[in-house]
Amino acid sequence: MDPAQFYSFKVWLTMVIIAPVLQILVSQFFFHTGSILSIAFIKEYPLSVGVLMVFTCPLGALLTFIIPRMTRNSTVIAVKQRVSIALGIVVILVFLGASASKNAYSPFELSAMLLPFLLPLLLGVWICRLDLEDESYEDEEEEETAS
């Protein structure tokens, strides 16, 4: 498997695992609903991870498509900065689109709904390891065997 594709999978999986916990923490602290220490949360966590996996598959596919293209002739830090900026732009566009229409959500409620998903993505971008050296090493091996 391509290291950049494996990296994008790890970033997406980080979001899928951490986002339900952050979502219940935001609900508990700001909206005073739910409890992270309850048995109900422990029972619902696998279900919420499964639902999140299904609904965020397009995001995982987008990351798998974009990140390998960003790694060409780039350093690891540059790729992580580009992905962070792209995620920020996408979240801002979603936030503006959701707040522009006439709905019942205030900007605070929208940010409380979006941030538990953005923060684990950014955490995954910067915590997960991206090995660009392995990719260049494999390219060199292919060139040597072709000669």
Side-chain angles (χ1 to χ4, degrees), residues 27-133:
S27 296
Q28 184 178 359
F29 288 129
F30 295 115
F31 303 120
H32 306 292
T33 60
S35 175
I36 199 158
L37 300 175
S38 69
I39 297 297
F41 172 73
I42 295 171
K43 288 180 181 177
E44 292 171 3
Y45 179 76
L47 178 65
S48 61
V49 167
V51 168
L52 197 59
M53 286 178 88
V54 170
F55 285 133
T56 60
C57 277
L59 175 66
L62 184 68
L63 287 173
T64 303
F65 179 74
I66 288 176
I67 291 177
R69 279 140 188 84
M70 286 185 176
T71 58
R72 295 181 186 150
N73 302 324
S74 296
T75 63
V76 173
I77 297 295
V79 170
K80 290 183 177 191
Q81 288 173 343
R82 289 178 195 156
V83 171
S84 299
I85 290 170
L87 289 174
I89 289 171
V90 167
V91 167
I92 288 171
L93 290 175
V94 168
F95 181 79
L96 290 176
S99 63
S101 64
K102 293 181 180 182
N103 57 18
Y105 297 117
S106 70
F108 175 73
E109 290 172 329
L110 283 173
S111 61
M113 285 188 275
L114 292 176
L115 286 178
F117 300 101
L118 175 65
L119 293 178
L121 275 173
L122 291 175
L123 179 73
V125 165
W126 289 98
I127 297 294
C128 296
R129 185 171 178 210
L130 174 60
D131 293 325
L132 292 179
E133 295 83 24

